[in-house]
Amino acid sequence: MIRILVPLDGSPAAENAIPHAAAIASAFSAELELLGVIDEASGTFAGPVNSLDWQLSKLQTEVYLSRTADTLSERGLNVTWELREGNPAQEILQAVRTSDVDILVSTRHGGGNAQQFRMGGTVQKVLSAAAVSVLLIDPAFEFDSKRGYAHVVAAVDGTQCSEWA
């Protein structure tokens, strides 16, 4: 079965990947895996982690992922979700490796709102190391899920990799 990974950070920008992933999952009877990552405190200047805030964030993320998965399941899709803790880019890449993912569907930025840049930092890190196909969505793009895709463009250059595309 085809597996599609959709990393979500709870932002409206990141959620714009969901209709694309759902359309692909519906067309190919694929399984969607929603992934949320609670960011670890990073850097040497980070203050101590407040345990109550951490647990609240974890619970909110679990509820968010569960509700999103339920909504997609009600549409007849096969959906699972997972919550991880740590560095978002590293955890996304680890999920790609351990979950037998065939395609990663993500927006070019999430809650970081990197609109002045082409991509957010997490996405750049994931793209540089992902060993699967990635569908990168511009969060500003309006996608009509009822209409679906009118055209798909695949760049080919004669190499084996482009032939796989």
Side-chain angles (χ1 to χ4, degrees), residues 86-151:
N87 176 284
Q90 291 174 352
E91 294 302 322
I92 292 167
L93 290 168
Q94 184 65 25
V96 166
R97 287 184 210 107
T98 61
S99 297
D100 197 25
V101 170
D102 296 293
I103 185 170
L104 174 76
V105 179
S106 177
T107 54
R108 64 178 179 83
H109 66 81
N113 198 16
Q115 291 180 359
Q116 68 272 26
F117 301 103
R118 290 186 139 314
M119 292 179 285
T122 299
V123 173
Q124 287 181 340
K125 292 172 189 171
V126 170
L127 282 176
S128 70
V132 296
S133 296
V134 178
L135 175 59
L136 194 59
I137 307 297
D138 182 345
F141 175 72
E142 295 292 328
F143 178 65
D144 182 357
S145 59
K146 290 186 182 4
R147 196 170 139 240
Y149 296 102
H151 303 283

Side-chain angles (χ1 to χ4, degrees), residues 4-123:
I4 303 169
L5 181 67
V6 184
L8 298 170
D9 64 6
S11 69
E15 287 178 357
N16 284 337
I18 295 173
H20 296 273
I24 295 167
S26 180
F28 294 99
S29 299
E31 180 178 336
L32 284 176
E33 181 177 338
L34 308 179
L35 175 67
V37 180
I38 298 176
D39 197 355
E40 65 186 2
S42 59
T44 57
F45 298 103
V49 175
N50 181 323
S51 178
L52 184 57
D53 288 343
W54 184 265
Q55 290 301 320
L56 181 59
S57 178
K58 186 175 178 179
L59 180 62
Q60 288 173 328
T61 305
E62 287 174 347
V63 168
Y64 167 74
L65 291 170
S66 176
R67 286 184 178 163
T68 304
D70 288 347
T71 300
L72 292 167
S73 293
E74 289 170 5
R75 293 175 39 198
L77 297 172
N78 184 5
V79 185
T80 61
W81 62 270
E82 181 181 6
L83 174 63
R84 292 178 175 231
E85 299 175 12
N87 176 284
Q90 291 174 352
E91 294 302 322
I92 292 167
L93 290 168
Q94 184 65 25
V96 166
R97 287 184 210 107
T98 61
S99 297
D100 197 25
V101 170
D102 296 293
I103 185 170
L104 174 76
V105 179
S106 177
T107 54
R108 64 178 179 83
H109 66 81
N113 198 16
Q115 291 180 359
Q116 68 272 26
F117 301 103
R118 290 186 139 314
M119 292 179 285
T122 299
V123 173

